[in-house]
């Protein structure tokens, strides 16, 4: 070969190599950043889907911008299925997940929606189907909870069957009257026939490989329920962001959901599945059989709110557990306010509560009454308005949700599941009923009594952090008269407070500062002061809630 020809050949090879590199890079970039790309992995005709999609969303009824509380116009312009940034840890892509056999792990997905924008709802569904192994995805149960757009479900039925043909199976239901999310999810579960249930909001985008990590954790322990890690989708820009792997789900005494810092065991990596007191919001997967053993979501809860916290408590107390699985990612549009009205359906004793607040408070009250045992007064301390809300449920109805399972008391939850459930209260160092063995200290007409702790009405005590006073709610304090006589007296205030009303905590003893004697119950039913004896059961008094120092 002549020198000139060799040079030309080399040059050509170089050009081909550079072009190949550029092409490769472009493909990678496209997969990572182009969020309008169609990414259906099945054998769908993209053009066909695009035409169907445009047709479907073109019929979106006009609504003001604020109606959905997210950017519907932008959503309409994006593709049915977007490529999403990979937010999970790289190692999640190469793991060997222990997958159950497909014949024993068929998945039913339940989506209930009320007034969702067409493009957002369809994207939720198309993304789910295109990113979920067909072998496992058994059916989709879609419940329209009486949305204003009455045509939507019929069109959705049409388009989904045209695009996806026979697989997965679709079940469509429309509630003729607004039933709420909780009723609808129970109904969806009732008609489901898969081994597993996944409850999904109607404005989500599952990310690649979301299912396998969840199946892996469920297959290892069938009493588990799992949540993916939620990646936030910005309601305005619809950009898909990475969720925080350092958080677990929990709640406070007013039964509001909170993200709590996750604790790491030695050597535990951030991408490992971790136990959580509550689900990551309401998106969770569980075996259908186990869901029904736990009698599903509490049917007394109405419309929206609290069901996932209640289910978390029930699950933990009745023999299950919850894990958040960071290798599984699902995007969710977090909105800053409700996009829907709450129907008025019970006589709110209005106290300036709107129907949304009243519904949520009633749901929370049911949870407190069903599960919080002796701690429920803490709920009422933080939510006094809940006292006036009528439940119209008998004790039997409240307790019926526990039947069928042997469930622990709430105390167990505090000890084993969410020990960091504390009242952040600068004023009191302890609160609630004051128990000595099986008796509780109770005040009736200024008399100090020791009564059964299971009575409905028992004095709630407060140990004041700064003054050491032990008071009831009626400005009465436990004090000591001459000759070590215990008595209830008006609480002294300001500079008048002296040693007669000051109590100190020594483990579970209550030491009276004035006499240096300890509160005692020597004869089982009579309160006295005696010299302090460590470990004496008769001198051990426990508050329902002891706060951190
Ligand atoms: C959170 C949970 C949700 C559920 C809810 C409390 C996440 C990601 N989501 O919802 O799963 O636990 O809190 O109940 O944590 N909907 C109906 N009927 C209604 C009202 C709402 O079907 O009457 C639908 C709605 O269209 C949506 C879902 O219920 O698909 C949840 O409502 P949301 O998304 O407005 O509230 P969100 O995200 O705070
Ligand atoms: Mn939501």
């Amino acid at each position: 070969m002549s020198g000139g020809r060799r040079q030309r050949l080399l040059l050509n090879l170089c050009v081909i190599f550079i072009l190949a590199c550029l092409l490769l890079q472009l493909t990678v970039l496209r997969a990572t950043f182009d969020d309008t790309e169609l990414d259906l992995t099945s054998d769908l005709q993209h053009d066909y889907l695009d035409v169907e999609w445009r047709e479907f969303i073109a019929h979106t009824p006009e609504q003001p911008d604020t109606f959905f509380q997210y950017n519907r116009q932008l959503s309409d312009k994006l593709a049915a299925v977007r490529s999403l940034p990979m937010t999970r840890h790289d190692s999640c892509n190469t793991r060997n997940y222990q997958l159950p056999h497909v014949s024993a792990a068929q998945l039913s997905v339940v989506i209930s929606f009320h007034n969702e924008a067409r493009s957002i709802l369809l994207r939720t569904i198309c993304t789910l189907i295109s990113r979920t192994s067909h072998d496992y995805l058994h059916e989709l149960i879609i419940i329209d909870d009486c949305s204003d757009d009455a045509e939507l479900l019929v069109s959705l039925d049409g388009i989904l069957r045209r695009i996806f043909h026979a697989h997965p199976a679709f079940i469509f239901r429309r509630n003729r009257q607004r039933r709420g999310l909780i009723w609808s999810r129970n109904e969806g579960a009732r008609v489901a026939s898969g081994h597993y249930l996944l409850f999904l909001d109607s404005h989500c985008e599952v990310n690649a490989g979301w299912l396998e990590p969840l199946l892996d954790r469920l297959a290892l322990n069938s009493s588990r329920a799992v949540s993916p890690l939620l990646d936030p989708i910005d309601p305005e820009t619809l950009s898909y962001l990475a969720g925080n792997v350092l958080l677990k789900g929990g709640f406070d005494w007013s039964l509001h959901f909170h993200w709590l810092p996750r604790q790491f065991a030695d050597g535990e990596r951030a991408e490992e599945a971790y136990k959580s007191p509550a689900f990551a919001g309401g998106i969770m997967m569980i075996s259908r059989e186990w869901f029904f053993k736990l009698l599903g979501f509490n049917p007394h809860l109405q419309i929206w709110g609290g069901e996932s916290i209640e289910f978390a408590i029930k699950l933990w107390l009745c023999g299950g557990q919850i894990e958040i699985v960071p290798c599984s990612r699902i995007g969710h549009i977090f909105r800053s306010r409700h996009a829907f009205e709450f129907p008025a359906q019970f006589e709110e004793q209005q106290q300036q509560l709107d129907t949304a607040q009243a519904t949520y408070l009633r749901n929370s009250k049911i949870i407190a009454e069903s599960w919080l045992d002796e701690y429920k007064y803490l709920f009422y301390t933080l939510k006094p308005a809940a006292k006036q809300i009528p439940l119209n449920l008998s004790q039997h109805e409240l307790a019926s949700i526990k039947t069928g399972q042997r469930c622990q008391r709430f105390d167990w939850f505090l000890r084993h599941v969410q020990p960091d459930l504390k009242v952040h209260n600068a004023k009191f160092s302890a609160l609630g009923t004051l128990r000595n063995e099986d008796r509780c200290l109770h005040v009736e007409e200024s008399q100090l009594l020791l009564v059964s702790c299971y009575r409905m009405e028992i004095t709630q005590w407060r140990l004041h952090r700064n003054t050491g006073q032990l008071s009831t709610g009626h400005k009465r304090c436990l004090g000591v008269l001459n000759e070590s006589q215990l008595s209830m007296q008006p609480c002294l205030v300001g500079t008048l407070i002296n040693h007669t009303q000051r109590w100190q905590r020594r483990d579970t003893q209550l030491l009276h500062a004035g006499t240096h004697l300890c509160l005692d119950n020597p004869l089982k039913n009579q309160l006295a002061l005696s010299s302090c004896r460590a470990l004496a059961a008769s001198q051990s008094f426990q508050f329902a809630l002891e706060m951190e120092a």
Side-chain angles (χ1 to χ4, degrees):
M1 203 189 298
S2 78
R5 280 183 70 183
R6 209 177 17 239
Q7 256 183 349
R8 259 205 315 278
L9 192 70
L10 258 166
L11 199 70
N12 280 346
L13 278 173
C14 277
V15 169
I16 291 172
F17 179 72
I18 290 168
L19 278 177
C21 285
L22 271 174
L23 202 71
L24 190 77
Q25 205 172 5
L26 265 178
T27 322
V28 171
L29 272 179
R30 210 170 132 76
T32 326
F33 297 114
D34 183 355
D35 62 4
T36 56
E37 179 202 7
L38 276 170
D39 184 36
L40 286 172
T41 49
S42 60
D43 55 353
L44 300 172
Q45 292 287 317
H46 292 182
D47 295 347
Y48 172 63
L49 171 67
D50 206 42
V51 172
E52 286 279 356
W53 160 262
R54 298 282 146 221
E55 168 78 3
F56 177 74
I57 60 177
H59 288 92
T60 307
E62 268 320 304
Q63 296 290 1
D65 282 354
T66 51
F67 185 77
F68 297 109
Q69 299 290 339
Y70 48 64
N71 192 339
R72 190 214 101 198
Q73 270 81 10
L74 176 59
S75 166
D76 287 1
K77 291 190 196 111
L78 302 177
V81 179
R82 313 189 274 172
S83 305
L84 300 174
M86 192 186 71
T87 45
R88 65 181 185 176
H89 192 268
D90 284 345
S91 69
C92 301
N93 298 328
T94 49
R95 269 187 202 204
N96 264 333
Y97 296 104
Q98 298 292 313
L99 294 181
H101 193 268
V102 291
S103 63
Q106 292 294 297
L107 173 67
S108 300
V109 180
V110 177
I111 299 177
S112 163
F113 68 93
H114 177 74
N115 286 352
E116 200 68 84
R118 287 181 166 222
S119 57
I120 290 278
L121 177 63
L122 189 56
R123 182 173 297 111
T124 302
I125 296 169
C126 289
T127 306
L128 175 77
I129 299 174
S130 68
R131 298 222 170 101
T132 309
S133 149
H134 280 204
D135 293 341
Y136 288 109
L137 186 58
H138 168 59
E139 65 186 351
L140 226 74
I141 299 159
I142 298 167
I143 298 177
D144 173 0
D145 187 17
C146 199
S147 300
D148 300 351
D149 180 359
E151 301 301 310
L152 192 160
L153 200 68
V154 181
S155 323
L156 190 65
D157 183 333
I159 183 176
L160 290 178
R161 288 185 205 280
R162 282 196 300 279
I163 301 175
F164 297 105
H165 307 292
H167 193 89
F170 292 104
I171 297 178
F172 296 96
R173 291 274 190 280
R174 178 169 156 89
N175 298 338
R176 286 204 193 161
Q177 67 183 77
R178 178 85 174 279
R179 298 290 201 136
L181 160 77
I182 301 161
W183 185 93
S184 305
R185 284 190 176 171
N186 274 337
E187 175 65 8
R190 194 183 65 76
V191 300
S193 55
H195 301 93
Y196 290 116
L197 299 170
L198 172 80
F199 298 99
L200 197 61
D201 282 17
S202 43
H203 34 255
C204 290
E205 284 167 84
V206 299
N207 208 330
W210 72 276
L211 177 64
E212 289 74 8
L214 297 182
L215 280 175
D216 170 289
R217 299 306 296 172
L218 286 175
L220 283 172
N221 180 340
S222 60
S223 70
R224 236 175 228 157
V226 290
S227 276
L229 199 106
L230 294 187
D231 285 331
I233 300 174
D234 185 285
E236 203 38 50
T237 63
L238 299 183
S239 42
Y240 187 101
L241 309 162
N244 190 339
V245 289
L246 302 178
L247 299 176
K248 60 183 183 177
F251 50 88
D252 62 20
W253 285 111
S254 60
L255 296 173
H256 272 284
F257 179 84
H258 281 278
W259 293 108
L260 306 169
R262 161 185 177 191
Q263 282 93 29
F264 285 86
D266 275 352
E268 182 182 335
R269 293 198 309 268
E271 63 273 21
E272 299 301 333
Y274 54 99
K275 293 203 169 67
S276 175
F279 297 100
I283 297 178
M284 63 113 161
M285 187 162 145
I286 185 171
S287 104
R288 184 165 61 92
E289 190 185 348
W290 184 216
F291 181 77
F292 280 109
K293 272 196 183 147
L294 293 166
L295 307 180
F297 295 116
N298 184 331
H300 303 305
L301 305 182
Q302 285 169 353
I303 302 292
W304 181 99
E307 86 295 337
S308 97
I309 286 180
E310 178 201 69
F311 199 77
I313 298 175
K314 176 155 70 170
L315 195 62
W316 278 111
L317 291 184
C318 307
Q321 46 176 266
I322 298 173
E323 277 188 358
I324 296 180
V325 186
C327 279
S328 170
R329 298 298 179 114
I330 295 187
H332 168 260
I333 303 181
F334 285 92
R335 297 180 282 199
S336 47
R337 55 173 66 95
H338 291 301
F340 44 81
E341 300 289 323
F342 282 66
Q345 43 180 345
F346 55 91
E347 293 287 311
E348 300 116 35
Q349 317 239 304
Q350 278 291 344
Q351 314 162 25
Q352 289 98 45
L353 291 178
D354 60 33
T355 42
Q357 291 168 329
T359 305
Y360 193 81
L361 204 55
R362 181 180 180 277
N363 288 353
S364 305
K365 178 172 178 169
I366 292 176
I367 304 172
E369 288 292 336
S370 322
W371 295 104
L372 295 194
D373 299 329
E374 66 269 32
Y375 298 92
K376 72 181 177 196
Y377 80 92
L378 278 166
F379 167 75
Y380 291 110
T381 310
L382 296 172
K383 293 277 168 200
K387 288 185 194 153
Q388 317 313 328
I389 290 200
L391 291 187
N392 302 325
L393 294 169
S394 65
Q395 279 304 318
H396 174 74
E397 282 170 304
L398 283 171
S400 65
I401 51 157
K402 298 184 186 176
T403 48
Q405 297 297 317
R406 289 166 62 86
C407 303
Q408 302 275 2
R409 292 173 53 74
F410 196 69
D411 214 36
W412 187 92
F413 188 89
L414 292 179
R415 275 185 282 125
H416 295 98
V417 185
Q418 198 181 336
D420 35 13
L421 184 60
K422 295 171 215 147
V423 180
H424 296 286
N425 195 322
K427 213 169 158 197
F428 307 113
S429 54
L431 283 169
T433 48
L434 186 51
R435 183 166 56 88
N436 172 249
E437 300 192 73
D438 61 342
R439 304 259 113 187
C440 278
L441 185 54
H442 179 65
V443 181
E444 215 161 63
E445 293 171 6
S446 290
Q447 293 284 309
L448 276 162
L449 306 170
L450 283 154
V451 301
S452 159
C453 293
Y454 296 105
R455 277 173 45 157
M456 293 290 283
E457 292 290 320
I458 299 183
T459 303
Q460 305 287 330
W461 297 87
R462 300 152 177 198
L463 186 57
H464 296 246
R465 205 178 272 287
N466 293 333
T467 64
Q469 284 170 305
L470 183 55
S471 71
T472 66
H474 311 286
K475 298 201 171 121
R476 309 285 294 174
C477 277
L478 181 66
V480 177
L481 300 171
N482 298 335
E483 295 155 13
S484 310
Q485 267 283 306
L486 287 157
S487 78
M488 290 307 295
Q489 14 183 281
C491 294
L492 301 169
V493 288
T495 50
L496 294 177
I497 301 172
N498 60 31
H499 276 22
T500 59
Q501 289 187 357
R502 187 165 293 149
W503 298 88
Q504 287 160 359
R505 211 71 177 118
R506 221 193 236 175
D507 293 325
T508 58
Q509 290 176 318
L510 276 167
L511 175 75
H512 182 242
T515 56
H516 296 284
L517 297 173
C518 275
L519 196 65
D520 202 349
N521 177 21
L523 303 171
K524 290 279 178 217
N525 58 2
Q526 205 176 1
L527 215 57
L529 280 173
S530 0
S531 46
C532 299
R533 285 168 287 119
L535 304 178
S538 65
Q539 291 185 354
S540 169
F541 286 83
Q542 276 186 294
F543 290 89
L545 193 84
E546 308 267 355
M547 249 86 54
E548 292 290 287

